[in-house]
Amino acid sequence: MNRFRATLLAAGLAAAVALPGSMSHAGPAVDAHGFVRVLPGTEQWEDYPGIEGIKIMVLEGDLKRAGPYMIRVKFSPGTMSMPHFHPEDRLCTVIKGTWWSGTGLTFQPENTEPLPAGSYMKHPAGEVHYDGAKDEEVIVQIAGVGPSGATFIHPELGKTGRSLP
């Protein structure tokens, strides 16, 4: 692993312990037998802390602790995250809209690749990326093994950018 990537990964691991408490709740109600059901229209979305235009729903697990988790992330039209990385692999499935994904240290929404509903993408641990919505709402389901976190490459620029000029 090169020195730059190792430094980014170490920063990401430090950020993992700083996740807001609101992103580590127990998730949806569990019935007497342990089954969980989330039906369309019953979702409980929360604002993603510090990122306008992005909402999150924890379906399973605790992002701050070791173990598996599953979340959904909702991007409002024209909203993209700025370049960042996570300390863990993330397994992403687009369940609504077209998700636009780019890689690298420089935010270039015009160079993102479209992933329509039904698409899958793996975000490898420590690899820099940015993603979001262009002209429609997008929902992505993400699974991983925590603890989780996000480290933004250029925090002075903020955590979101506009995908459209």
Side-chain angles (χ1 to χ4, degrees):
M1 179 182 309
N2 70 37
R3 187 174 162 154
F4 177 72
R5 184 170 175 202
T7 301
L8 288 177
L9 185 57
L13 291 172
V17 298
L19 281 173
S22 65
M23 290 179 59
S24 62
H25 59 77
V30 179
D31 75 12
H33 301 284
F35 292 99
V36 176
R37 291 175 181 86
V38 178
L39 301 175
T42 67
E43 302 94 344
Q44 296 180 4
W45 295 98
E46 299 179 15
D47 291 333
Y48 192 100
I51 304 183
E52 187 176 333
I54 299 177
K55 294 188 177 288
I56 186 170
M57 175 178 38
V58 178
L59 294 168
E60 187 70 38
D62 184 335
L63 296 170
K64 293 166 79 174
R65 292 186 174 25
Y69 66 83
M70 183 172 293
I71 61 175
R72 287 187 182 166
V73 180
K74 183 189 315 187
F75 297 85
S76 61
T79 302
M80 297 191 83
S81 62
M82 294 297 280
H84 65 284
F85 66 91
H86 307 281
E88 80 284 7
D89 287 348
R90 285 187 155 200
L91 311 176
C92 310
T93 302
V94 182
I95 60 175
K96 179 182 178 186
T98 298
W99 192 40
W100 295 83
S101 180
T103 60
L105 300 172
T106 304
F107 182 61
Q108 298 176 329
E110 68 279 4
N111 292 333
T112 54
E113 295 185 34
L115 292 118
S119 297
Y120 166 81
M121 181 174 188
K122 177 181 177 181
H123 284 170
E127 293 297 327
V128 178
H129 60 279
Y130 48 95
D131 42 50
K134 290 194 176 183
D135 58 358
E136 63 186 325
E137 180 179 83
V138 173
I139 298 177
V140 179
Q141 187 160 292
I142 302 172
V145 177
S148 185
T151 299
F152 287 84
I153 302 305
H154 307 290
E156 70 281 3
L157 300 177
K159 295 180 180 179
T160 57
R162 298 308 291 172
S163 65
L164 303 173

